[in-house]
Each structure stands twice: as structure tokens, then as C-alpha cells.
Amino acid sequence: MDRSRRSTNPNNFKKDGTIKHGVKLRWTYSKNYQKTKKQIKELYRKKASYIKEKHGALANKILSLGDEVYIETMHFKGLAKRTKETKTNIQGKIQSKKRFGKSIGNHAPAMLVEIIHQKTYSQFA
């Protein structure tokens, strides 16, 4: 998609490949780009729907085990951020600074916590 956008809008990019900023930029998108964008949008929608459905089922299973649910407070944004300091392992190789951003985005643990929270309060309200 990026190559398609660059080929249809060559005047909107600087020589180093970065986007020119300004109000008067006009973007044109090819039909194939628009079709691919719709397909990606639909796939993300289906993925989110699937995750929400599975979390609902898991929340029901958790709540069937008992009335009280204790959840450890987790800061998921903090887990998704890169670490600040650079560490090396025993052999002297630099360890990766990336953390759990992609897996948090794929599994949406905060959504599960929110669904459990909603279901517990709707039962007793």
C-alpha cells in the first residue's frame, strides 16, 4: 500500500522519502489501494469482533467459578513501551529493548478486565 501511495502521489514526498507537510497537499488513491484498504479494515474489524467474543466467553467461564474476582492492577501501556536503558547479556550482546506492544494489541487484556468488570457489576446491580 505504501508503494502504491508513493507512486500515485510523487509530489507529496521529499527526496529523502519523508512526507511533505502542508495544507495544500492533494492525495489521490488508486482503486486497488482503496480496495486493499477496505479489505484490511474488514480484517481488523473481524479480528476485534473475534477477540471480544472470546473474552466474553472467558469472562463467563471465570464468573461461573465464583462471585468475587480479584484482578491484579496492571498498567498495560507500560508493558507496551520500550525500555529506556540498554542491557547486555553474559556474552556481551545487546538485549532487545522492545517489550509486549504487539502481543498486547493482539490479545487485548484490558478489554477482558473491562468485560469482567461490567459483568460483575451488572449481576449485582
Side-chain angles (χ1 to χ4, degrees):
M1 287 179 67
D2 184 55
R3 286 184 297 172
S4 172
R5 189 177 45 165
R6 286 177 185 275
S7 65
T8 54
N9 301 290
N11 296 332
N12 292 350
F13 294 93
K14 297 177 189 172
K15 290 190 181 205
D16 62 351
T18 58
I19 296 174
K20 288 181 186 176
H21 293 286
V23 181
K24 297 194 177 198
L25 291 179
R26 300 291 297 172
W27 291 89
T28 55
Y29 301 107
S30 65
K31 300 253 184 194
N32 198 33
Y33 179 92
Q34 292 172 4
K35 187 173 80 172
T36 308
K37 191 171 183 179
K38 282 182 186 176
Q39 287 175 344
I40 288 174
K41 196 174 181 180
E42 179 68 10
L43 287 173
Y44 279 127
R45 184 195 66 77
K46 285 181 179 179
K47 178 182 167 190
S49 173
Y50 175 79
I51 290 171
K52 190 168 185 180
E53 181 183 326
K54 291 297 177 184
H55 281 346
L58 182 59
N60 288 338
K61 197 170 197 176
I62 290 170
L63 292 176
S64 70
L65 299 174
D67 292 344
E68 294 182 25
V69 179
Y70 296 100
I71 300 172
E72 180 183 349
T73 55
M74 290 290 298
H75 301 286
F76 299 111
K77 279 189 177 180
L79 288 174
K81 288 182 184 173
R82 288 169 55 103
T83 185
K84 287 187 173 72
E85 68 270 0
T86 305
K87 294 181 182 176
T88 57
N89 62 10
I90 298 168
Q91 288 87 18
K93 282 189 169 182
I94 296 173
Q95 289 181 339
S96 176
K97 288 178 126 183
K98 68 180 200 161
R99 293 295 173 256
F100 306 103
K102 190 171 184 180
S103 61
I104 286 175
N106 286 338
H107 300 292
M111 184 196 298
L112 175 64
V113 171
E114 184 60 33
I115 289 172
I116 291 172
H117 188 266
Q118 287 173 354
K119 287 182 183 253
T120 54
Y121 281 108
S122 67
Q123 277 181 344
F124 301 110

